[in-house]
Amino acid sequence: MKMSPAERKHMMLHDPVERIIPKLAIPTIISMLITTIYNMADTFFVSQLDTAASGAVGVVFSVMAIIQAIAFTLGMGTGTNLSQALGRGDTDEAQRYGSVGFFTALAVGTVIMIAGNLSLDWMVPLLGATDDIFPYAKEYATYIFYAAPFMMGSLVLNNMLRFQGLATYGMVGITLGGILNMVLDPIFIFEAGQDIGLGFALPFGFGMKTAGAAVATALSQAVSFFILLAQSNLRKDTISVTPRHFRPTKHMYGRILNNGLPSLGRQGIASISTILLNNSVKLFVAVELQTAAIAAMSIVSRIVMFVNSTVIGFGQGFQPVCSFNYGAGQYSRVRRAFWFCVKVATVILLVLGAAAFITAEPIITAFRKDDPDVIRIGTTALRFHLATIPLWGFIVMSNMFTQSIGYGVRSLIISISRQGMCLIPMLLLLPPLFGLTGIQAAQPVADVLALGVTLLITINILRQFSQMADKPLES
């Protein structure tokens, strides 16, 4: 049922957070799962070709992470300021923030598309591609760069809808694009009559191999983009994006970057860590195992991302409630929402993590059943990652909490702690000492260290909130 802006504001400020957050989180969880599933589908179908092709997806993932990091920086920064403006009742300012963030994302995405495709020959080896992986990775990256403007525009629009409490609208665009990606993957990757890895073959196909997966992704991103744009501009209950509202100022960009930088830190550092991990494999793993190790770690990252996506989706249901109530001065309500989300997230991670730990070997085998090295390396790495996965609940929610209330520097520290401040030193220290085992164990060790950093920052902010009086609300 549609709600007016006044009804939505009343819901955000008065309804129990234990009811609002799951309601807002369901569409964001679905969106996150669909996004993760079609990323897994890319990896799964490409892995049916050979191990080098599977490794190519892992190598290019760091490029996609950088594109998404920049997009989330603009999207989260725009969405947070838009939501806080709505909390203050300033619709005009919310419209300006939406248009500035959206059109800036399109411009930046176009620059990335051009610059990326001009620098593939030197970039792909730098990302950690072995000689076997290089041709596959170059093909895959080409079309990913073509998709950059659509990818960035979609992420900004999705975040805008989410921060308005309209995550269901965003879910439609993300879900339809994701389903299309999964349908197109085998059609573009395989030739007619070739086994697609699910026990049957399609009667038709383009046989583009690795490049086909990237083409499917690019087309699905374009479809999601136009659906999300229509959702934003054709519905009366949304903030629209139009050139006439594109009136940027240094102050606006400053606020967008302040609130969005944690996303850049989180995903940008994740990209750097992936590049460092791939290059660590080339330096400290036997030559005959390098391609298998990169492929295995690529598969593990997709599986772990799937488990974590449920928590991120739940946290994205928390963020509009957090920023809206913070803008309205309801500090006790923000604290209550935060602890509710930490508890739910931890339970989710315990259940999913335990299930994946028990079935780790069959999961890895499903991706690359013909390569025992990939199965062995991936199973061990996956179990190492899952051993510390319950810690992510507090870390993820703390990151989203501090980002949603505009504590940019502290949120940035939390966001880069897990895959930056803690993981990068572990990748520099453990592989030289323990080789492949050090690479497999680096992330779990970093998780424990990141929890300590996060606790110091978040508990201090929550104590400050407990001493702040809520502002009076209109009835």
Side-chain angles (χ1 to χ4, degrees), residues 202-401:
L202 296 176
F204 53 87
F206 294 105
M208 295 177 67
K209 298 185 179 179
T210 311
V215 171
T217 297
L219 290 174
S220 69
Q221 289 290 336
V223 169
S224 289
F225 171 83
F226 287 112
I227 292 173
L228 290 167
L229 184 60
Q231 296 280 47
S232 295
N233 280 7
L234 299 181
R235 292 184 179 272
K236 295 181 179 180
D237 54 344
T238 61
I239 296 296
S240 59
V241 291
T242 61
R244 68 187 177 89
H245 288 128
F246 181 71
R247 301 194 302 274
T249 64
K250 290 182 180 179
H251 176 72
M252 293 184 74
Y253 278 129
R255 286 184 60 84
I256 289 173
L257 290 175
N258 179 64
N259 290 334
L261 276 176
S263 292
L264 180 63
R266 179 174 59 250
Q267 292 189 256
I269 286 292
S271 176
I272 294 172
S273 298
T274 301
I275 294 170
L276 183 58
L277 184 149
N278 291 335
N279 281 284
S280 294
V281 170
K282 291 167 68 175
L283 290 172
F284 303 110
V285 175
V287 174
E288 64 272 14
L289 291 177
Q290 288 178 1
T291 299
I294 291 175
M297 298 306 293
S298 171
I299 293 168
V300 168
S301 71
R302 293 299 192 277
I303 297 166
V304 171
M305 190 186 304
F306 175 80
V307 175
N308 199 29
S309 66
T310 56
V311 171
I312 294 174
F314 192 80
Q316 288 177 343
F318 158 65
Q319 282 187 301
V321 176
C322 180
S323 59
F324 204 102
N325 280 273
Y326 179 75
Q330 301 304 294
Y331 308 112
S332 61
R333 189 169 167 84
V334 172
R335 285 190 292 112
R336 179 179 170 185
F338 170 78
W339 284 116
F340 168 70
C341 288
V342 169
K343 292 173 185 176
V344 172
T346 302
V347 171
I348 292 172
L349 289 170
L350 280 169
V351 173
L352 293 180
F357 190 96
I358 294 169
T359 58
E361 185 172 344
I363 292 173
I364 300 295
T365 302
F367 283 83
R368 194 77 195 106
K369 60 185 177 183
D370 296 329
D371 194 325
D373 289 329
V374 171
I375 296 170
R376 175 177 55 82
I377 295 168
T379 299
T380 301
L382 180 57
R383 285 178 172 154
F384 276 162
H385 279 65
L386 295 171
T388 57
I389 206 169
L391 308 182
W392 296 3
F394 187 84
I395 296 171
V396 169
M397 293 306 160
S398 294
N399 187 199
M400 293 187 168
F401 163 59

